[in-house]
Amino acid sequence: MSSSTAPRAVRAGTPPRLAARDRAWVEGFADHLMHERNRSDQTVRAYLSDVEGLVSEVAEHEQLAPVEGAWPEVLGGLDLADLRGWLGRLSAAGRSRSTLARKTASVRVFMAWAVREGHLEQDPSLRLSSPKRSSTLPDALSADQAGRLLDNAGAPAPEDARERAVALRDAALLEVLYATGLRVSELVGLDRQDVDHERRTLVVTGKGGKQRTVPFGAPAATALERWLDHGRRVLVLGDPSGHRPLSATAPARDALFLGVRGGRLGVRQVREVVNRALAGLGDTAARGPHVLRHTAATHLLDGGADLRSVQELLGHSSLQTTQLYTHISVERLREGYRQAHPRA
């Protein structure tokens, strides 16, 4: 970091202050991402978080924290060595390659924008190499595990009306995740009008606001009908005894899946539901909603679906991303061959 642009040194660990100049950069970059690059709210938050993390980490590492205006002062003094050092420290802290690659991409987009807007004189990220993404295969359940997970979710419901409603919701969201391979953000963004019960399809809004139509099967249709007919109204109205006030806002009442207080179900709550169901299997360490997305894709390919169809179903912009799942299918075929063939 150039000494001519370095702000005054203060105690290490002091967080940079978000002054008026910082906010102007943040708001301008967010505007660029939303309106020029058509990025989703979730992507905008991730990019801003990555750049803010760069400012904070570099300021702390260099024992620098400007009195005000951390973004112009810290970012204006960065060079390629600073950026490489930042990535190196993140790697040493155990961040995954995919996380490092995403952060690199975020910083590159930001730096290019800042130079174009005249905030920075030069772009130190031009020669910053992006770490190769890990080729580790994603976790996927076997057909038996997936069947048991969904059977457990459809077990007899409790007597309490609210607990029964939550059980019906959890069963429905698990069935939908496995049937469609949706991202969790796509699932929680679904509204009731996005469901075509007659055709058994969902209108899904994916990354970049792109919409696609995704089919689902009979078990998911049944679970959805049970949730909508017998569970959802209990949560949207609150406690049937009348002791709980109506808590859902008007927009939230359009949501397909609701939380216990009547609002739209959140990503964290879905993660908890899925993790609890996966832990209940007792024979897998896999966790997170993405496991069901990976499982759906793998089982489709195992069953003979073509790669392009799976790409469209999952909403992948690149076929290369979808091809990762073919490796899982090939590995399973190879393992079955080793076990079954006498001369394997």
Side-chain angles (χ1 to χ4, degrees):
M1 179 174 284
S2 169
S3 60
S4 62
T5 57
R8 66 173 183 153
V10 296
R11 180 176 59 85
T14 302
R17 298 169 60 183
L18 195 62
R21 285 189 297 169
D22 300 334
R23 282 195 294 273
W25 284 37
V26 172
E27 291 167 4
F29 184 47
D31 248 12
H32 166 69
L33 292 173
M34 287 187 290
H35 302 304
E36 295 184 45
R37 288 180 166 260
N38 195 30
R39 295 294 189 259
S40 67
D41 290 346
Q42 185 177 2
T43 300
V44 172
R45 286 194 296 271
Y47 274 45
L48 289 174
S49 175
D50 289 340
V51 180
E52 288 169 359
L54 168 65
V55 174
S56 298
E57 201 278 344
V58 170
E60 181 173 350
H61 179 74
E62 300 289 338
Q63 295 188 327
L64 302 168
V67 174
E68 66 172 33
W71 285 50
E73 299 295 343
V74 174
L75 293 169
L78 288 179
D79 56 22
L80 180 60
D82 292 321
L83 294 177
R84 286 174 172 167
W86 166 63
L87 287 176
R89 290 188 294 275
L90 290 175
S91 177
R95 298 298 183 93
S96 68
R97 288 185 181 180
S98 59
T99 296
L100 296 179
R102 191 205 72 217
K103 288 181 179 295
T104 302
S106 300
V107 169
R108 279 177 170 168
V109 172
F110 170 79
M111 292 289 185
W113 167 82
V115 170
R116 190 192 75 181
E117 293 296 312
H119 297 314
L120 297 178
E121 293 182 4
Q122 58 184 1
D123 183 353
S125 70
L126 287 175
R127 293 170 51 215
L128 184 64
S129 300
S130 179
K132 292 183 178 180
R133 291 180 181 270
S134 172
S135 59
T136 303
L137 297 178
D139 289 322
L141 304 179
S142 67
D144 173 70
Q145 287 174 322
R148 284 190 287 115
L149 180 135
L150 297 172
D151 288 343
N152 292 344
E159 293 297 323
D160 178 79
R162 288 181 57 75
E163 291 181 7
R164 185 164 61 250
V166 169
L168 291 173
R169 180 204 65 191
D170 293 352
L173 71 85
L174 288 169
E175 285 280 6
V176 169
L177 284 172
Y178 176 61
T180 62
L182 294 187
R183 301 177 179 94
V184 64
S185 58
E186 295 170 343
L187 179 87
V188 299
L190 289 172
D191 290 332
R192 285 179 293 173
Q193 59 266 31
D194 294 330
V195 185
D196 186 330
H197 296 278
E198 186 175 343
R199 297 175 59 201
R200 289 183 189 165
T201 59
L202 299 171
V203 176
V204 179
T205 302
K207 291 185 175 180
K210 295 179 181 178
Q211 287 193 332
R212 66 186 189 277
T213 300
V214 179
F216 57 87
T222 300
L224 273 174
E225 288 172 6
R226 287 174 178 167
W227 155 242
L228 291 171
D229 292 344
H230 305 293
R232 189 182 181 282
R233 59 185 176 84
V234 175
L235 296 189
V236 79
L237 293 175
D239 191 342
S241 68
H243 296 306
R244 284 178 56 87
L246 180 65
S247 57
T249 60
R253 290 181 204 147
D254 294 330
L256 180 61
F257 292 108
L258 302 176
V260 293
R261 296 187 178 181
R264 185 181 293 273
L265 191 65
V267 170
R268 183 176 59 81
Q269 288 87 354
V270 175
R271 183 175 298 279
E272 290 172 354
V273 170
V274 174
N275 284 346
R276 190 161 54 245
L278 289 169
L281 289 176
D283 58 357
T284 179
R287 294 293 183 270
H290 239 58
V291 171
L292 294 181
R293 179 170 166 85
H294 300 325
T295 300
T298 304
H299 291 180
L300 282 166
L301 290 169
D302 284 347
D306 68 273
L307 205 57
R308 287 287 183 189
S309 297
V310 176
Q311 178 191 7
E312 186 174 347
L313 181 81
L314 297 180
H316 285 156
S317 58
S318 168
L319 188 63
Q320 185 178 4
T321 306
T322 316
Q323 285 175 330
L324 176 64
Y325 297 106
T326 64
H327 300 313
I328 303 175
S329 297
V330 169
E331 282 301 314
R332 288 186 173 182
L333 178 62
R334 187 177 292 134
E335 180 62 28
Y337 178 84
R338 282 196 293 263
Q339 292 180 1
H341 199 285
R343 298 179 72 87

